[in-house]
Amino acid sequence: QVQLVESGGGLVQAGGSLRLSCAASGRTFSSYAMGWFRQAPGKERELLAAINWSGDNTFYADSVKGRFTISRDNAKNTVYLQMNSLKPEDTAVYYCAARRTIRVVTTGDYDYWGQGTQVTVSS
């Protein structure tokens, strides 16, 4: 069992940056692949980025490639999402998720989810 808590969301102007953090409980964080998702009102949940257990394999959706960066610090039980060049269409609730596997997971098939953090990008 792992519990996930996101932080770092907020209001930012278009073109600005935010860094989201997701802190995980437990002593086996390095056993988990991690992902960042978002869901805007009236839209389906979207996988944005994913990272494997060691951090040397990542995946990005086309919508964020080149603007967002996923990383992890296993010593701190934390995964990050650095978001640059934000656009109004990035406005959504952002979630982190975990799955106990060594590989990167590029689907929505995760076992544990955080409660989400709101990101609002003003134009």
Side-chain angles (χ1 to χ4, degrees), residues 19-102:
R19 188 176 82 155
L20 304 183
S21 299
C22 173
S25 65
R27 295 174 291 179
T28 59
F29 178 69
S30 61
S31 300
Y32 289 83
M34 302 297 296
W36 282 99
F37 293 76
R38 71 185 176 193
Q39 188 165 22
K43 295 189 176 181
E44 293 187 354
R45 185 177 61 198
E46 175 187 13
L47 172 63
L48 303 176
I51 191 166
N52 72 332
W53 72 278
S54 61
D56 62 357
N57 192 3
T58 57
F59 163 85
Y60 294 95
D62 288 343
S63 58
V64 304
K65 198 173 295 183
R67 299 190 299 125
F68 291 9
T69 303
I70 189 171
S71 61
R72 67 189 296 160
D73 185 338
N74 287 343
K76 295 183 178 180
N77 282 14
T78 302
V79 64
Y80 304 97
L81 186 68
Q82 177 66 43
M83 307 187 295
N84 299 328
S85 303
L86 284 162
K87 307 173 182 179
E89 52 263 44
D90 293 318
T91 296
V93 178
Y94 284 67
Y95 301 88
C96 67
R99 177 175 172 178
R100 194 179 179 103
T101 179
I102 62 171

